[in-house]
Amino acid sequence: MAGAAGPGTGPGAAGGDGDDSLYPIAVLIDELRNEDVQLRLNSIKKLSTIALALGVERTRTELLPFLTDTIYDEDEVLLALAEQLGNFTGLVGGPDFAHCLLPPLESLATVEETVVRDKAVESLRQISQEHTPVALEAHFVPLVKRLASGDWFTSRTSACGLFSVCYPRASNAVKAEIRQHFRSLCSDDTPMVRRAAASKLGEFAKVLELDSVKSEIVPLFTNLASDEQDSVRLLAVEACVSIAQLLSQDDLEVLVMPTLRQAAEDKSWRVRYMVADKFSELQKAVGPKITLNDLIPAFQNLLKDCEAEVRAAAAHKVKELCENLPIEGRETIIMNQVLPYIKELVSDTNQHVKSALASVIMGLSTILGKENTIEHLLPLFLAQLKDECPEVRLNIISNLDCVNEVIGIRQLSQSLLPAIVELAEDAKWRVRLAIIEYMPLLAGQLGVEFFDEKLNSLCMAWLVDHVYAIREAATNNLMKLVQKFGTEWAQNTIVPKVLVMADDPNYLHRMTTLFCINALSEACGQEITTKQMLPIVLKMAGDQVANVRFNVAKSLQKIGPILDNDALQVEVKPVLQKLGQDQDMDVKYFAQEAISAVAQRLRKLDFPVKGSEEPSAPGADKNHFLRPRGPGEDTGKGPAHQLHVNTRDTLAQLGTAELVHFSRSRD
Amino acid sequence: MATLKSDIISTVEFNHSGELLATGDKGGRVVIFQQEQENKIQSHSRGEYNVYSTFQSHEPEFDYLKSLEIEEKINKIRWLPQKNAAQFLLSTNDKTIKLWKISERDKRPEGYNLKEEDGRYRDPTTVTTLRVPVFRPMDLMVEASPRRIFANAHTYHINSISINSDYETYLSADDLRINLWHLEITDRSFNIVDIKPANMEELTEVITAAEFHPNSCNTFVYSSSKGTIRLCDMRASALCDRHSKLFEEPEDPSNRSFFSEIISSISDVKFSHSGRYMMTRDYLSVKIWDLNMENRPVETYQVHEYLRSKLCSLYENDCIFDKFECCWNGSDSVVMTGSYNNFFRMFDRNTKRDITLEASRENNKPRTVLKPRKVCASGKRKKDEISVDSLDFNKKILHTAWHPKENIIAVATTNNLYIFQDKVN
């Protein structure tokens, strides 16, 4: 394949002697127009190799004209092309010839697909830096003007992103022209272009002289902020952040604040949403004084907005807003001007609002300190822990660490427990899954005693959940708990309960024992594994269900590295050999896999020096072809079995395993 | 003449310049016609429309979860405002909306290194220099390629799609819900109207059509089977279940009958180009509403009042459920809609004159002037008049379209498309 050969042979520039190095390049060039998109894409991604082989002259005169006309191609090819061309200056002869790259990028900047256009603009911005000032005015600026006055709005939207890169390096006369073009795009007929201009307004303002910002950008900003389309107005909010950073406090008050106040009260909820969403940025940009006078009242209004989307966006910003207030007087402001509104939101009618608040409200406790937290925030936390919507409760529980630092978790634990239990038994398995994932965190905060007393039984109950994803998560959870509480705790509390399940009448539960052993053995260490777990695993090798038996083989392979040599040799090996003779193909396959892994370890133990030299030793899976073959095994079928078994595993992961009766399981 | 069911035209739509005309049919095909460039020498013969591109937009599908067949019939076509040299349109069947790109190609690359243009391979050892392909002109080729597929958002049948004047979103409406999409995002849409009652037995009305305002990007209307039109403002709230205006005409008690509700169901709603008015079509009439007046229409035109006495038989042959569309001319001064017997009607809003014309192959040869038709309701039939009883209800004109700038109209009669234009000179 050309793809493999290309980089390996290291094509020299303009190798025109008909030698071998030409062939892979010839293939690459031919595949630029292959019918298979993937091959075209490969070729485009190796465009630099092609250009290198052609040399700078032919790249400019032949390759680039060809690429300029390639705009009919699929989006992914065009996207790759636009990206490649951004780094092409060296391949066309350096900065003096950078302008040769403009025609293909110009045509890419007019395609309908936004991602391609944006990439072309990005590459153009990159290349603009490589132009000399003279070349910039001779080639780049005319291109920007062409795009800005193009017939179709795609080209005009692309132009919006190019003004700010050529402006700083242009002469004064050209600067005036550039500003003029930007102005006219801000009042373009199509909302697409006005949106593009609005989104680049802040960036353009940054490269303009301060006078021009005041005299030209501010009026444009004001116009866009009162555009008839709310999709344009909301983008002006973003520009507001950049413009505010450039102006003095006095100018800000006169030039920007009226517009911002208007935006915060806009008739369209999408604009108000944008103000809420950008609140922290706005707060930083306008400074503390205006924040206190204007933004806090605006924020209060957003928190009680009639549209839930706006309230939710504002609720998300509560913590950041409070954090960013000046330390001096912060507590008073929060207590008097923010907290009353937050209290209202705790009983909001919309669950998204409540859950947005729940995701940040705990963070306030560090800002307000112990006493305020206990007196004012705690009742809110407790109310949210009893909320009807599980997401709200989950969000509170997931942020417990913030509160723990300030007041200790004991304050909450009485309310916490019922909330956790309820979530643990929620009818939706995704909710159960979410609370399981917080268990290690909770255990760490609540301590081992509380955990044993109240939560341990929950963790064990999840092991026999009827959804596979929950059983799997419960298994991982046990492992993390053992890491936290230590092996002794594991030996006394967890392991016995897990091992009892090995005798469960339901084969799925018996398998859970094996999965738990897989997860726990490492954390528990050699002694527990050898003395308590191994006998159970070995006993299960005689299970009547094939699925259990091949999982025994998998488990033995998994815990093999933890066991000592004796146990492997005396206990594991005979059992695996027996499983290797099993009548079920899958059991046989996994037993063979395990045997080869175990054998390898035994060999390594016998000849430690030689074993370390063996390059192909590590990892049983890589060793697929080296494994010893049992008598009568059909060598050709190995991979097929594997596929088959994988399907089984996938089914199990989907959580539907208990609904599916495996045709080949024999219980 | 036998008519193939799949050939029946199900929608007709001019693009924004009027240069292209798209039709969709029951077989899931989209046919695009292009107006010939004006001939400088024969300035009196304005461009005719010729087939420009034909492609299969939708295929029949089967919903395995619900055991439902999904027809390939194209319910609606909407053109996007032109964004570059290519043209884009949305087409929809009952469930799936697709964005198509129609583009021209007049160049193709030539020159391989390792093979001849006809595909024969060269001996690699003879390759001594690299060759870069070169684009050469070729015969014009029109390609239609699917760019986006917006699927799995509608439980019921999609009856309308409408592109927003912000150029980036569009709505799709089915019997009970309206969804808002971004034209570039296919994996998510927002439900903005949902009239499904908690208990389906309480269902009393369905959404029959929906359209965005032509220049106010936050306003859209939807019509219902009860004859009402609701106008919603997307600025007020993310969910538009509550309307901001309700247009409804009080029922005339003297006309009350068993069929009142059925014939008051609105089959189409269209904003005027100016955005000041909207037009609705119910079974017997066309009404024009001023957006500023909700309690009654400003104009009402009877399309085929003579059918009022025939409602019983029209109910029996299901014709009463036909969904007639309606359209405005470019300057909003004339409206047009279809009727039976291959008749279509035009109403001049200024002079209040109306006319009935017939689209049929037997009666008009190309380039002849259409003769006005008259239906006589009862009593003695004058010369040239047609009796109500002799109307053919199988020949119906449901879909019509008016060129956005010129007086050119497209009229679909089952499987034929007629294009008429103003008398020249």
PDB file of all heavy atoms in Angstrom, chain A residues 242-254:
ATOM      1  N   SER A 242     -15.945  41.540  25.382  1.00  0.00           N
ATOM      2  CA  SER A 242     -14.660  42.012  24.849  1.00  0.00           C
ATOM      3  C   SER A 242     -14.601  43.527  24.818  1.00  0.00           C
ATOM      4  O   SER A 242     -13.575  44.120  25.140  1.00  0.00           O
ATOM      5  CB  SER A 242     -14.451  41.491  23.429  1.00  0.00           C
ATOM      6  OG  SER A 242     -14.894  40.190  23.323  1.00  0.00           O
ATOM      7  N   ILE A 243     -15.681  44.160  24.428  1.00  0.00           N
ATOM      8  CA  ILE A 243     -15.664  45.614  24.310  1.00  0.00           C
ATOM      9  C   ILE A 243     -15.509  46.249  25.688  1.00  0.00           C
ATOM     10  O   ILE A 243     -14.742  47.191  25.877  1.00  0.00           O
ATOM     11  CB  ILE A 243     -16.944  46.121  23.606  1.00  0.00           C
ATOM     12  CG1 ILE A 243     -16.954  45.612  22.164  1.00  0.00           C
ATOM     13  CG2 ILE A 243     -17.018  47.635  23.621  1.00  0.00           C
ATOM     14  CD1 ILE A 243     -18.244  45.852  21.437  1.00  0.00           C
ATOM     15  N   ALA A 244     -16.205  45.685  26.664  1.00  0.00           N
ATOM     16  CA  ALA A 244     -16.144  46.241  28.016  1.00  0.00           C
ATOM     17  C   ALA A 244     -14.717  46.218  28.551  1.00  0.00           C
ATOM     18  O   ALA A 244     -14.302  47.125  29.275  1.00  0.00           O
ATOM     19  CB  ALA A 244     -17.072  45.454  28.943  1.00  0.00           C
ATOM     20  N   GLN A 245     -13.974  45.179  28.164  1.00  0.00           N
ATOM     21  CA  GLN A 245     -12.592  45.092  28.650  1.00  0.00           C
ATOM     22  C   GLN A 245     -11.714  46.223  28.121  1.00  0.00           C
ATOM     23  O   GLN A 245     -10.691  46.541  28.707  1.00  0.00           O
ATOM     24  CB  GLN A 245     -11.994  43.742  28.252  1.00  0.00           C
ATOM     25  CG  GLN A 245     -12.525  42.599  29.093  1.00  0.00           C
ATOM     26  CD  GLN A 245     -12.241  41.250  28.480  1.00  0.00           C
ATOM     27  OE1 GLN A 245     -11.861  41.155  27.316  1.00  0.00           O
ATOM     28  NE2 GLN A 245     -12.417  40.207  29.254  1.00  0.00           N
ATOM     29  N   LEU A 246     -12.113  46.795  26.992  1.00  0.00           N
ATOM     30  CA  LEU A 246     -11.270  47.804  26.364  1.00  0.00           C
ATOM     31  C   LEU A 246     -11.532  49.210  26.887  1.00  0.00           C
ATOM     32  O   LEU A 246     -10.706  50.101  26.738  1.00  0.00           O
ATOM     33  CB  LEU A 246     -11.493  47.799  24.845  1.00  0.00           C
ATOM     34  CG  LEU A 246     -11.229  46.466  24.129  1.00  0.00           C
ATOM     35  CD1 LEU A 246     -11.691  46.553  22.688  1.00  0.00           C
ATOM     36  CD2 LEU A 246      -9.759  46.107  24.204  1.00  0.00           C
ATOM     37  N   LEU A 247     -12.671  49.417  27.485  1.00  0.00           N
ATOM     38  CA  LEU A 247     -13.074  50.785  27.820  1.00  0.00           C
ATOM     39  C   LEU A 247     -12.858  51.106  29.294  1.00  0.00           C
ATOM     40  O   LEU A 247     -12.830  50.223  30.143  1.00  0.00           O
ATOM     41  CB  LEU A 247     -14.560  50.984  27.470  1.00  0.00           C
ATOM     42  CG  LEU A 247     -14.930  50.789  26.003  1.00  0.00           C
ATOM     43  CD1 LEU A 247     -16.441  50.897  25.826  1.00  0.00           C
ATOM     44  CD2 LEU A 247     -14.230  51.814  25.125  1.00  0.00           C
ATOM     45  N   SER A 248     -12.714  52.397  29.572  1.00  0.00           N
ATOM     46  CA  SER A 248     -12.599  52.837  30.967  1.00  0.00           C
ATOM     47  C   SER A 248     -13.968  52.752  31.615  1.00  0.00           C
ATOM     48  O   SER A 248     -14.997  52.666  30.936  1.00  0.00           O
ATOM     49  CB  SER A 248     -12.092  54.268  30.994  1.00  0.00           C
ATOM     50  OG  SER A 248     -13.102  55.117  30.492  1.00  0.00           O
ATOM     51  N   GLN A 249     -13.982  52.825  32.956  1.00  0.00           N
ATOM     52  CA  GLN A 249     -15.251  52.717  33.681  1.00  0.00           C
ATOM     53  C   GLN A 249     -16.272  53.755  33.223  1.00  0.00           C
ATOM     54  O   GLN A 249     -17.444  53.439  33.043  1.00  0.00           O
ATOM     55  CB  GLN A 249     -14.989  52.868  35.180  1.00  0.00           C
ATOM     56  CG  GLN A 249     -14.354  51.645  35.816  1.00  0.00           C
ATOM     57  CD  GLN A 249     -15.373  50.539  36.064  1.00  0.00           C
ATOM     58  OE1 GLN A 249     -16.447  50.778  36.615  1.00  0.00           O
ATOM     59  NE2 GLN A 249     -15.053  49.331  35.648  1.00  0.00           N
ATOM     60  N   ASP A 250     -15.788  55.000  33.019  1.00  0.00           N
ATOM     61  CA  ASP A 250     -16.721  56.062  32.634  1.00  0.00           C
ATOM     62  C   ASP A 250     -17.322  55.801  31.263  1.00  0.00           C
ATOM     63  O   ASP A 250     -18.535  55.895  31.061  1.00  0.00           O
ATOM     64  CB  ASP A 250     -16.012  57.424  32.632  1.00  0.00           C
ATOM     65  CG  ASP A 250     -15.645  57.834  34.054  1.00  0.00           C
ATOM     66  OD1 ASP A 250     -16.232  57.232  34.993  1.00  0.00           O
ATOM     67  OD2 ASP A 250     -14.793  58.719  34.203  1.00  0.00           O
ATOM     68  N   ASP A 251     -16.421  55.444  30.312  1.00  0.00           N
ATOM     69  CA  ASP A 251     -16.908  55.149  28.961  1.00  0.00           C
ATOM     70  C   ASP A 251     -17.878  53.977  28.979  1.00  0.00           C
ATOM     71  O   ASP A 251     -18.892  53.966  28.280  1.00  0.00           O
ATOM     72  CB  ASP A 251     -15.734  54.816  28.042  1.00  0.00           C
ATOM     73  CG  ASP A 251     -14.931  56.060  27.703  1.00  0.00           C
ATOM     74  OD1 ASP A 251     -15.530  57.157  27.753  1.00  0.00           O
ATOM     75  OD2 ASP A 251     -13.734  55.936  27.408  1.00  0.00           O
ATOM     76  N   LEU A 252     -17.516  53.005  29.788  1.00  0.00           N
ATOM     77  CA  LEU A 252     -18.339  51.805  29.902  1.00  0.00           C
ATOM     78  C   LEU A 252     -19.768  52.175  30.296  1.00  0.00           C
ATOM     79  O   LEU A 252     -20.742  51.709  29.703  1.00  0.00           O
ATOM     80  CB  LEU A 252     -17.699  50.928  30.983  1.00  0.00           C
ATOM     81  CG  LEU A 252     -17.942  49.436  30.961  1.00  0.00           C
ATOM     82  CD1 LEU A 252     -17.514  48.880  29.625  1.00  0.00           C
ATOM     83  CD2 LEU A 252     -17.146  48.774  32.069  1.00  0.00           C
ATOM     84  N   GLU A 253     -19.841  52.998  31.321  1.00  0.00           N
ATOM     85  CA  GLU A 253     -21.142  53.404  31.837  1.00  0.00           C
ATOM     86  C   GLU A 253     -21.968  54.074  30.744  1.00  0.00           C
ATOM     87  O   GLU A 253     -23.155  53.778  30.573  1.00  0.00           O
ATOM     88  CB  GLU A 253     -20.923  54.363  33.025  1.00  0.00           C
ATOM     89  CG  GLU A 253     -22.193  54.792  33.736  1.00  0.00           C
ATOM     90  CD  GLU A 253     -22.966  53.608  34.295  1.00  0.00           C
ATOM     91  OE1 GLU A 253     -22.396  52.806  35.057  1.00  0.00           O
ATOM     92  OE2 GLU A 253     -24.149  53.498  33.937  1.00  0.00           O
ATOM     93  N   VAL A 254     -21.309  54.935  29.971  1.00  0.00           N
ATOM     94  CA  VAL A 254     -22.051  55.707  28.968  1.00  0.00           C
ATOM     95  C   VAL A 254     -22.314  54.894  27.705  1.00  0.00           C
ATOM     96  O   VAL A 254     -23.411  54.935  27.142  1.00  0.00           O
ATOM     97  CB  VAL A 254     -21.254  56.985  28.594  1.00  0.00           C
ATOM     98  CG1 VAL A 254     -22.019  57.801  27.562  1.00  0.00           C
ATOM     99  CG2 VAL A 254     -20.967  57.798  29.837  1.00  0.00           C
TER     100      VAL A 254
END
